[in-house]
Amino acid sequence: MSGGEENIEKIMDGEEVEEKEEVGGEGGPEEEQKDEFAYINQGFTSEIFKIEVRNLPKHYGVGELRKLLQKLNLDFAKVKLVKKNNPWVYICFRSTETRDEGIRVLNGMKWKGCELAASEAKPAPDPLVRKRNAAGQEGTAGKRARTIAECTTALAHLSYEEQLKQKQSEVENLLKKFSGEHWHACRSQREEIEAARREFDGLPCKLETIRGSPLISGYRNKCEFSVGKDSNGDDTVGFRLGSYNMGFVEVCPIDELKHIPDRVKMAVRLFQQFVRSSKHDVFNPEQQTGVFRQLVTRLSFTTNEIMLIVGINGKTLGDGEEAQELKKSIREFFTEKEGKILNVTSLFHQQMMKKDKDNKKDTLELLHGKPHITDEIHGLKFRISPESFFQINTPAAEVLYSSIIELGAVTKDTTVLDICCGAGTIGICFAKYCKRVLGVEIIEEAVKDAKFNAETNNIDNVEFFAGNADDFIFSLMNRPGVSDGDVLAVVDPPRAGIHVKSLTQLRNARKLNRLIYVSCKPKFVTRNWLDLMRPCSKTMKGAPFKLKKALAVDMFPHTPHMELILLFERTTIEETKE
């Protein structure tokens, strides 16, 4: 998924997005505001240490490229992908020396059969100034065509029944399009593809009716709000209409948004009151100044616990006396003053340093209460830490996991491989229905949460491992007793899908009978589906999977998004190579 597409998807789902990294000047006279490159002279930006790398392989992943750069000991700041599988990318470094070293090492280097070409690149223009210049206006990013409600809850004007019908239709269209891609890519399977279309009214498999969310409004248990100025110049806590890259800096109030719980709206109003009474300024993404930058809320529907994470611009306020005074005032506001009515159970201070020259990480400090909150799915307790992943619609998550378990059709003889297991929610919900669960996740903190959650719920037939899925799938399949019985893999990857190396491992795990693929952005992962289904090859040695059933669950009412679950089953006969 490209950066722009990802930002739009986040905004449409009511999520905040960060402004363009390291771009923004100090302001000044009008002639400077029109200069799209004025930010270069206003503090550090890795844009001035950027190179362009061309002639990349036809298929590669950004993560894979980052690993290569790390292996080569290159001190890079970020990789800027233009679009997926683009033959060239930008890589930003931290100094002239590290940039020149990057060019020296990468230029002429062979990677995956391709000889790379690396050269110095010009910095990108400031997107906000560019928007203003294009609009021919000073002080604005152009006309806003939509309201914040239209951006974040685009389907809210429809009845919920109509929303579900529209999403069901979108799934049908997506599957038909995928069937066409499958037909063009796999000639030897065309007869089988056409037979499936005749059986399922043009679809590649049986499609169940979409399952709705038990909670339609006020369902988001996590929200990320920006702090900035509204169109009148008032300090506001809310959402932007778009990212800085898209030319938006104004923050809009969220009172009328249907998907945000009333208690969270109260938290926003109270924090906004605190911000407006403070001597500190709100964050200015153009100038990278100001103090108050973000508010993150996490809410438990089971325990009614609420967590607040106050994000502070680390560039402006360090760790001195003034910073300590601010932390004290935040704590007092929510424990002794007006904010006490919210009954905050976890209060964090977050020093946001992601744009720092030295690449410092954000730091979290607990100001009040417990370091986590607890929620429940299927009667099981799950610990939610500040940075843990947890489905944003808890009641609908129960529907989602029930649907996955239903499609999995496991028995006491089944081993479940939970790929990209996160904090172990899916695997732990599966545990009482199967022989055992083996989960793998790249984020170590999430694996710690998964192990804690299993212990808390007295579940002893699960094991979780920290590492890359492509490194673990083979070893998991070869653990004692796994291949002797039924094996089901559940893949619930990030939005961009699972790496091709992991897909190869799954294909080549010959004792793997069935696979369930879960996606919140299905149009971006059809390549994964195709790799599971394409005929045998030198790389994909195991028998191909067949798509047997599809089912959508509406996790995001009032928005265009949903979760799509696909059930794949292994064919019994090894097919000939394409």
Side-chain angles (χ1 to χ4, degrees):
M1 184 189 300
S2 71
E5 288 173 327
E6 185 173 8
N7 284 343
I8 292 170
E9 296 289 352
K10 284 186 176 182
I11 293 160
M12 291 295 291
D13 193 28
E15 295 183 40
E16 259 305 277
V17 294
E18 291 190 357
E19 56 286 326
K20 187 180 189 325
E21 184 167 354
E22 298 160 343
V23 169
E26 296 287 345
E30 289 187 3
E31 58 267 22
E32 288 188 354
Q33 291 183 3
K34 291 182 179 180
D35 183 358
E36 297 177 4
F37 298 92
Y39 74 91
I40 291 173
N41 300 317
Q42 308 293 341
F44 172 78
T45 170
S46 63
E47 280 291 318
I48 60 177
F49 308 119
K50 184 168 69 176
I51 71 172
E52 181 179 334
V53 180
R54 290 188 171 271
N55 198 31
L56 288 160
K58 186 176 181 181
H59 299 295
Y60 68 92
V62 178
E64 193 176 12
L65 179 57
R66 288 196 183 100
K67 283 185 182 179
L68 173 66
L69 299 175
Q70 291 167 354
K71 186 177 181 181
L72 296 171
N73 294 317
L74 295 178
D75 185 21
F76 67 100
K78 57 185 174 181
V79 176
K80 300 179 67 175
L81 183 67
V82 181
K83 61 181 180 180
K84 191 175 182 180
N85 291 327
N86 200 59
W88 53 273
V89 299
Y90 293 119
I91 303 174
C92 296
F93 292 84
R94 306 182 193 284
S95 66
T96 301
E97 293 74 21
T98 56
R99 178 198 63 196
D100 293 345
E101 175 68 5
I103 294 175
R104 186 189 69 79
V105 172
L106 295 172
N107 192 41
M109 174 185 170
K110 287 194 174 181
W111 187 45
K112 292 190 171 185
C114 297
E115 185 173 317
L116 306 181
S119 59
E120 189 174 341
K122 295 180 180 180
D126 186 307
L128 186 67
V129 178
R130 186 178 66 234
K131 279 272 189 178
R132 288 174 174 172
N133 289 341
Q137 299 177 2
E138 292 295 334
T140 179
K143 295 181 179 179
R144 292 201 299 247
R146 297 182 299 174
T147 66
I148 192 65
E150 290 168 332
C151 285
T152 58
T153 52
L155 303 185
H157 64 287
L158 299 174
S159 68
Y160 191 53
E161 183 180 358
E162 287 298 319
Q163 291 182 35
L164 293 178
K165 286 181 180 179
Q166 181 169 315
K167 293 184 180 186
Q168 181 79 359
S169 177
E170 288 174 1
V171 172
E172 291 175 1
N173 293 335
L174 174 70
L175 291 175
K176 288 178 181 178
K177 182 179 179 181
F178 169 69
S179 179
E181 294 172 359
H182 187 195
W183 190 91
H184 284 289
C186 305
R187 288 173 296 176
S188 64
Q189 297 177 346
R190 288 179 177 176
E191 184 176 337
E192 184 179 330
I193 294 168
E194 290 168 356
R197 288 174 176 172
R198 289 191 296 270
E199 182 178 357
F200 302 113
D201 295 325
L203 296 171
C205 65
K206 181 179 180 181
L207 174 62
E208 301 280 356
T209 302
I210 187 171
R211 297 180 181 181
S213 171
L215 186 62
I216 299 172
S217 295
Y219 60 82
R220 287 194 67 96
N221 58 39
K222 180 185 177 183
C223 294
E224 297 180 8
F225 301 101
S226 282
V227 185
K229 300 287 187 181
D230 64 11
S231 58
N232 298 319
D234 295 327
D235 294 347
T236 302
V237 182
F239 288 150
R240 294 200 192 125
L241 289 173
S243 67
Y244 189 97
N245 279 351
M246 298 165 65
F248 296 100
V249 293
E250 294 174 2
V251 176
C252 302
I254 50 84
D255 296 314
E256 303 304 319
L257 299 183
K258 292 184 177 181
H259 61 336
I260 299 178
D262 289 339
R263 193 168 178 212
V264 172
K265 291 178 180 178
M266 178 189 293
V268 169
R269 289 193 298 270
L270 288 167
F271 183 61
Q272 181 173 277
Q273 176 184 338
F274 175 80
V275 169
R276 289 180 175 179
S277 64
S278 173
K279 67 178 182 180
H280 297 292
D281 295 330
V282 296
F283 182 66
N284 185 319
E286 287 185 79
Q287 301 170 9
Q288 296 286 299
T289 58
V291 172
F292 297 109
R293 182 167 177 175
Q294 180 177 274
L295 175 70
V296 177
T297 63
R298 306 201 72 155
L299 178 67
S300 169
F301 287 96
T302 304
T303 63
N304 209 31
E305 295 170 315
I306 188 168
M307 176 187 293
L308 301 186
I309 307 169
V310 178
I312 300 299
N313 180 19
K315 282 188 172 183
T316 303
L317 211 60
D319 297 318
E321 183 178 341
E322 198 172 18
Q324 298 307 316
E325 288 178 357
L326 177 59
K327 293 177 187 178
K328 180 181 178 182
S329 64
I330 293 172
R331 179 173 57 250
E332 289 179 347
F333 180 83
F334 284 107
T335 59
E336 302 175 13
K337 298 182 179 179
E338 292 90 336
K340 184 179 180 180
I341 191 175
L342 192 63
N343 192 25
V344 176
T345 48
S346 299
L347 179 62
F348 283 89
H349 172 278
Q350 182 179 31
Q351 189 178 46
M352 303 182 73
M353 302 291 293
K354 290 183 179 179
K355 299 175 178 62
D356 188 81
K357 178 179 179 179
D358 298 322
N359 197 33
K360 294 180 181 177
K361 294 183 179 180
D362 293 358
T363 57
L364 282 165
E365 179 182 344
L366 181 65
L367 300 181
H368 167 73
K370 301 184 298 182
H372 60 267
I373 61 176
T374 302
D375 213 335
E376 293 185 10
I377 297 178
H378 289 173
L380 300 167
K381 298 181 184 297
F382 294 96
R383 181 175 72 180
I384 305 172
S385 302
E387 297 178 319
S388 299
F389 171 78
F390 195 75
Q391 294 287 351
I392 61 97
N393 183 341
T394 310
E398 296 205 345
V399 178
L400 176 70
Y401 294 166
S402 293
S403 301
I404 295 171
I405 293 169
E406 176 185 323
L407 289 183
V410 297
T411 68
K412 291 298 182 179
D413 190 42
T414 303
T415 295
V416 175
L417 304 185
D418 189 0
I419 311 300
C420 307
C421 67
T425 49
I426 292 178
I428 291 172
C429 288
F430 255 112
K432 68 178 181 180
Y433 301 101
C434 63
K435 178 181 178 181
R436 64 172 164 173
V437 175
L438 303 174
V440 59
E441 167 62 49
I442 194 170
I443 301 173
E444 290 188 15
E445 288 301 316
V447 174
K448 291 179 182 177
D449 282 343
K451 292 178 178 179
F452 175 88
N453 291 330
E455 183 178 350
T456 298
N457 290 287
N458 298 316
I459 295 175
D460 57 8
N461 63 334
V462 299
E463 293 181 79
F464 297 105
F465 306 90
N468 284 323
D470 44 282
D471 296 328
F472 268 90
I473 293 171
F474 179 79
S475 61
L476 293 181
M477 287 296 302
N478 284 278
R479 289 176 70 83
V482 173
S483 297
D484 297 338
D486 179 49
V487 184
L488 167 72
V490 179
V491 181
D492 187 11
R495 300 180 182 197
I498 195 171
H499 194 278
V500 65
K501 286 186 178 179
S502 298
L503 260 298
T504 303
Q505 291 273 19
L506 291 168
R507 271 291 300 264
N508 296 346
R510 297 172 187 256
K511 295 293 185 178
L512 178 60
N513 312 96
R514 290 163 294 123
L515 184 146
I516 290 178
Y517 196 111
V518 187
S519 176
C520 62
K521 295 290 181 290
K523 66 181 179 181
F524 295 115
V525 298
T526 54
R527 173 88 188 186
N528 279 179
W529 305 347
L530 193 57
D531 284 341
L532 287 170
M533 300 176 70
R534 66 174 72 251
C536 299
S537 65
K538 291 181 180 179
T539 304
M540 303 289 183
K541 298 177 182 179
F545 287 87
K546 289 185 179 180
L547 181 56
K548 304 298 290 186
K549 190 176 291 187
L551 167 63
V553 176
D554 184 23
M555 296 285 292
F556 318 100
H558 308 307
T559 82
H561 310 304
M562 73 203 89
E563 294 272 354
L564 183 60
I565 312 168
L566 298 183
L567 171 65
F568 294 89
E569 290 185 359
R570 183 84 76 169
T571 55
T572 56
I573 301 174
E574 296 271 348
E575 297 192 14
T576 57
K577 295 178 182 179
E578 189 76 357

